[in-house]
Amino acid sequence: MLAIDTCGPFCAAAVFSGEPLPGNALSQRTEPMARGHAERIVPMIGQCLDEAKLKITDLDLIAVTVGPGSFTGVRIGVATARGLALTGKVQAIGVITLEARAHAIANLGSTATGFALTQDARRGQVYHQAFDIGGCPISAPEILDETDPRVSAATDVTGEPLDLWALASVAVSKRGSVTEAPKPLYLRPPDAKPQVGKALQRQ
């Protein structure tokens, strides 16, 4: 299976065979990247497949993060996964970024109770989601002001690379219940204004 993440300040891809576990990727690439995901993700995937001696048509599953995260990054990852899924005639499954992170934390024995995660959303806000001890969501992802009391009780995962084995593992667990193609998860409207709107404002 192939795992792809372009939602944050990293561009990452990995190929797994069998059950995804920490350290068992056949091949993996992770690069810090504020911009330029569109130019790097496909070559990166190609390098991973070449190292694993596989082709797109050999894959059984593609896992991709769908947000929350960078609007541009989310779109790039989802579009790439959907395109590869069509090319290879393989299922692509979208996974919420915070859910993949929670799965890694829970399965590494890092918590003895339920927990919540936050991630910087800029403009004085954070993305937030709560999980049980096993890393399963007990709330939907939401956007909160940094001053919200729930934020101080949560673990901030901003800037940390995503564990791609966890992304792949969550996708595997959803395989029997997900039938539709991945879709971007946006928790607020994009920052960019339509060009038409700007033109009207100038008139």
Side-chain angles (χ1 to χ4, degrees):
M1 65 195 70
L2 170 68
I4 304 169
D5 175 43
T6 59
C7 285
F10 294 88
C11 189
V15 176
F16 298 88
S17 178
E19 182 182 0
L21 293 170
N24 79 335
L26 296 178
S27 179
Q28 181 168 340
R29 292 282 191 283
T30 300
E31 296 180 12
M33 193 173 300
R35 298 179 181 177
H37 296 76
E39 291 76 21
R40 282 297 299 138
I41 188 59
V42 173
M44 190 178 289
I45 291 170
Q47 291 169 354
C48 287
L49 290 172
D50 287 345
E51 285 188 9
K53 296 180 172 57
L54 295 172
K55 294 180 286 189
I56 290 294
T57 51
D58 295 321
L59 297 174
D60 297 315
L61 181 67
I62 297 174
V64 62
T65 46
V66 296
S70 158
F71 286 97
T72 301
V74 169
R75 287 195 300 270
I76 291 167
V78 170
T80 300
R82 292 179 65 143
L84 293 175
L86 286 174
T87 300
K89 297 181 180 179
V90 60
Q91 183 180 15
I93 293 180
V95 176
I96 295 171
T97 311
L98 294 173
E99 187 176 351
R101 292 188 181 278
H103 182 78
I105 291 172
N107 282 270
L108 292 175
S110 302
T111 180
T113 62
F115 57 97
L117 300 179
T118 58
Q119 179 180 311
D120 183 27
R122 301 184 179 181
R123 294 192 285 179
Q125 295 179 311
V126 299
Y127 301 118
H128 175 277
Q129 191 170 13
F131 303 88
D132 65 18
I133 188 173
C136 297
I138 57 176
S139 74
E142 58 187 335
I143 193 164
L144 302 176
D145 290 333
E146 290 179 341
T147 56
D148 191 293
R150 288 170 288 178
V151 174
S152 60
T155 299
D156 182 24
V157 293
T158 302
E160 299 179 11
L162 185 72
D163 290 302
L164 294 181
W165 73 265
L167 166 60
S169 183
V170 173
V172 170
S173 71
K174 295 177 179 292
R175 196 170 191 173
S177 59
V178 174
T179 56
E180 62 180 18
K183 295 179 180 179
L185 171 68
Y186 299 134
L187 298 182
R188 70 181 179 203
D191 296 332
K193 301 292 184 183
Q195 293 299 316
V196 173
K198 289 183 178 180
L200 291 175
Q201 291 173 7
R202 290 195 294 268
Q203 291 179 358

